Amino acid sequence: EALEKARRRLKDYEEELVRLRAGTERSYERIKELEDSISERELQIKEMDEKEDSLMSKLRGVNLARASIEDKLNKATRELEALNRSSASKTKDLQAKIEHLSSEVKSLNNS
């Protein structure tokens, strides 16, 4: 009877071992799936980082171009303002000369 009891226990242990091995195999399969998923996510993150770096580089280029255009526009605006001041001054001088000549012509006509 003790031998029979030991055989039953041994059979129970063997069945438990089979269940544990099956569970372990399922766990390893799940671990492999998770590792694959993590690898895929890491690859996606790497690709997103590369795209972000590329976009940031392009943005820096656009910002530099914008700054250059703003500088050129400011310079052109200053030059135009200077030209307008010069033109206004010349116009004023010419008006004074015209008035002077007109008054001379009137004087000459009256004499």
Side-chain angles (χ1 to χ4, degrees), residues 68-85:
S68 173
I69 289 169
E70 285 177 352
D71 288 345
K72 289 176 183 175
L73 181 59
N74 288 336
K75 181 181 177 188
T77 300
R78 286 190 303 273
E79 290 173 356
L80 184 58
E81 288 170 350
L83 184 60
N84 283 340
R85 284 190 300 273

Side-chain angles (χ1 to χ4, degrees), residues 33-103:
E33 289 172 5
L34 291 172
E35 287 174 343
D36 290 346
S37 177
I38 289 170
S39 294
E40 188 177 316
R41 300 273 190 221
E42 287 174 341
L43 182 60
Q44 289 173 348
I45 289 169
K46 182 181 176 188
E47 289 172 354
M48 289 172 62
D49 285 345
E50 289 171 357
K51 287 178 184 177
E52 180 184 22
D53 290 346
S54 173
L55 287 173
M56 292 303 288
S57 175
K58 288 177 184 176
L59 181 59
R60 281 189 294 275
V62 167
N63 284 337
L64 288 174
R66 181 185 48 78
S68 173
I69 289 169
E70 285 177 352
D71 288 345
K72 289 176 183 175
L73 181 59
N74 288 336
K75 181 181 177 188
T77 300
R78 286 190 303 273
E79 290 173 356
L80 184 58
E81 288 170 350
L83 184 60
N84 283 340
R85 284 190 300 273
S86 172
S87 177
S89 175
K90 287 179 183 177
T91 300
K92 187 176 179 183
D93 289 346
L94 286 174
Q95 285 174 338
K97 286 179 183 177
I98 289 170
E99 288 173 11
H100 176 72
L101 288 174
S102 288
S103 107

Side-chain angles (χ1 to χ4, degrees), residues 1-14:
E1 183 177 310
L3 182 60
E4 187 61 33
K5 192 175 182 182
R7 283 184 182 154
R8 276 196 308 268
R9 254 192 269 144
L10 178 62
K11 186 177 179 193
D12 290 344
Y13 290 149
E14 287 173 344

